[in-house]
Amino acid sequence: MHVTDAQDVRRVSVLKATGLIEAAIDPAFDTGGSYRLAQAALVVCITDEGHAEIDNLRGRNASNTDAPPKPARTGIEPMHYLRMIERSTFPLRVDDAQEINCIEALKQAGFVDAAISPVLAWKESREPQELAVIRRITPFGRAQLARGTS
């Protein structure tokens, strides 16, 4: 599903950050070089966790079904990453690509205040790299952590 309404893109960002859906979010740039809120998103699918949450909301216990075990997922989940940095000293500088993917999802969801550079070729490396600086976890992100949602 392609989403272009600003509120819907934000909702998609939250669902992606919490691991309930798989989605591609269009990170647009303004002329100042900083990220602004995405203007479009493409929802790819509902994850197994998302289906379990839907079943839970409908009053079904997904753990009682005879569903096959979930395949192992690779990479870091954004909410797990948010928990990892919960007690960090900010600003936090990050150059790991997987972590930056999490930061982008968390930023789009409104859970962190962060700046992410465009991909640049640094002097020390032949490979282009990104750099992210997390300024803080937002009150919305802290509320999500307090809910215990992962």
Side-chain angles (χ1 to χ4, degrees):
M1 173 197 316
H2 189 75
V3 177
T4 56
D5 177 73
Q7 282 294 87
D8 289 340
V9 171
R10 183 171 176 88
R11 288 179 185 116
V12 167
S13 297
V14 170
L15 291 170
K16 178 180 178 178
T18 55
L20 299 177
I21 64 169
E22 292 291 331
I25 299 173
D26 172 34
F29 293 94
D30 65 16
T31 56
S34 62
Y35 278 77
R36 64 178 185 212
L37 289 178
Q39 296 180 352
L42 177 65
V43 178
V44 178
C45 68
I46 299 172
T47 63
D48 292 338
E49 292 86 358
H51 283 292
E53 184 63 21
I54 290 168
D55 286 344
N56 188 37
L57 291 171
R58 289 182 176 160
R60 298 181 202 140
N61 188 348
S63 64
N64 289 340
T65 65
D66 292 328
K70 292 187 246 177
R73 297 182 73 174
T74 59
I76 306 169
E77 292 293 324
M79 286 307 297
H80 177 72
Y81 184 75
L82 188 62
R83 289 204 183 289
M84 286 172 40
I85 66 166
E86 181 176 11
R87 301 203 192 298
S88 295
T89 303
F90 297 99
L92 181 64
R93 183 181 160 124
V94 179
D95 61 9
D96 179 79
Q98 279 189 325
E99 291 179 21
I100 290 173
N101 286 338
C102 290
I103 294 165
E104 177 60 33
L106 293 167
K107 179 181 176 177
Q108 291 297 328
F111 293 166
V112 297
D113 177 15
I116 303 172
S117 73
V119 178
L120 300 171
W122 299 99
K123 289 181 182 178
E124 304 89 36
S125 174
R126 294 181 184 183
E127 298 279 326
Q129 290 182 314
E130 284 180 293
L131 176 67
V133 177
I134 304 170
R135 291 184 279 271
R136 68 187 178 112
I137 297 175
T138 66
F140 188 49
R142 296 271 179 207
Q144 189 71 19
L145 286 167
R147 276 189 217 113
T149 307
S150 55

